[in-house]
Amino acid sequence: MTRFIPVRETILAGAILVLLLLTASRFAGFVAPSNLANVFNDTAPLIILALGQMVVILTRCIDLSVAANLALTGMAVAMINVAMPGLPILVIIAIAILLGAIMGAINGVLVWKLAIPPIVVTLGTMTIFRGIIFLISDGKWVNSHEMSPAFTAFPRMELLGLPVLSWTAIITIVLFGIMMARAQFGRSIFAVGGNPHAAVYTGINVGKTQFWAFVVSGALAGLTGYLWVSRFAVAYVDIAGGFELEVVAACVIGGISIAGGVGSVSGAVLGAIFLGVVKNALPVVNISPFWQLAISGSAILIAVAFNARAGRTKGRIILKSAETTQ
């Protein structure tokens, strides 16, 4: 679980490389460093959200409200910027993270204290968050000319040749890599997902751990909400509609087990990059973007089948070990 590039992730990295080479055979410029940097920048929001979703899935939960959280936070900070254009960007970012974390905490409390299945909770809050966007905006858009130049410029600012949006994804990857490998919270996440009953006996509060997983996912969704709205310079009710499915797909393709307890940061990142490359490569080779859904769905089925087979194999090994120790 803590190895940086396990075998499964190596296979996925190879698939991404093959996809890049096939695309380059039709359009060599696709693998130019500048274009690959643009592909990574386009995929950065998905990477950030996939890492948050990974933490939730590892605890045997799921968060289907991340895109609605993103949209509501994005609309809220856009409206705040219109009302107070002089508000510093760092304050805007802090507000976005806080709003996202609060929405994540709502999910966490409902799962933890009321023992409602996570899929039911997050389906409900997904609809509620979308409804709140309509209520606070009255169904109107916030367009680029209403936003301050600083608000829209921040994610596009370049540092060492990469936009701030890309650097945000890179920093998030590094922090999550450290957290999942070294921090007590990361070990608790794996323990809760791997065997919640055993985790209780080690002093881990399963419900509380799941609560904080939702808070982390919500905070990242809030941060992404600001980055998304400021980058595209528009906020509306249906922003990022259906994006939660891509987030879950990135995790599953990256080897994050829906059953919990199995997965890695590198897997979630590679799963997101795989979908990002597919999304950007299809128009280049003159394939309809609608095929992205079919390709993503096929990749999910293959990943789930692979995970299920691996799980059965582990089960047989564990059983055999138990028999030999008796």
Side-chain angles (χ1 to χ4, degrees), residues 147-326:
M147 302 175 183
S148 69
F151 183 89
T152 56
F154 181 76
R156 298 185 180 89
M157 290 174 54
E158 290 198 359
L159 297 173
L160 302 177
L162 287 177
V164 168
L165 177 58
S166 292
W167 281 115
T168 304
I170 292 170
I171 292 170
T172 305
I173 293 168
V174 173
L175 291 177
F176 269 69
I178 296 171
M179 179 184 74
M180 300 306 293
R182 303 293 181 183
Q184 178 62 42
F185 178 67
R187 291 192 288 269
S188 298
I189 290 292
F190 281 115
V192 168
N195 191 329
H197 300 293
V200 172
Y201 289 110
T202 63
I204 297 173
N205 188 319
V206 174
K208 190 174 182 179
T209 302
Q210 292 174 332
F211 166 81
W212 284 111
F214 276 108
V215 172
V216 169
S217 177
L220 289 181
L223 171 62
T224 309
Y226 161 70
L227 295 172
W228 186 296
V229 167
S230 59
R231 183 191 182 207
F232 294 107
V234 64
Y236 54 95
V237 174
D238 293 326
I239 193 169
F243 198 62
E244 62 277 349
L245 300 180
E246 288 190 43
V247 175
V248 174
C251 290
V252 174
I253 291 171
I256 314 300
S257 174
I258 294 296
V262 177
S264 67
V265 170
S266 56
V269 173
L270 289 171
I273 291 175
F274 175 83
L275 292 179
V277 171
V278 168
K279 183 177 182 179
N280 284 272
L282 292 182
V284 171
V285 295
N286 295 321
I287 298 177
S288 169
F290 291 107
W291 276 101
Q292 181 188 352
L293 298 175
I295 294 172
S296 299
S298 300
I300 291 171
L301 290 176
I302 294 171
V304 170
F306 189 87
N307 291 344
R309 183 176 179 82
R312 287 195 298 270
T313 302
K314 287 182 179 180
R316 287 194 293 270
I317 293 173
I318 292 171
L319 182 60
K320 183 177 180 180
S321 300
E323 290 174 349
T324 56
T325 57
Q326 291 179 350

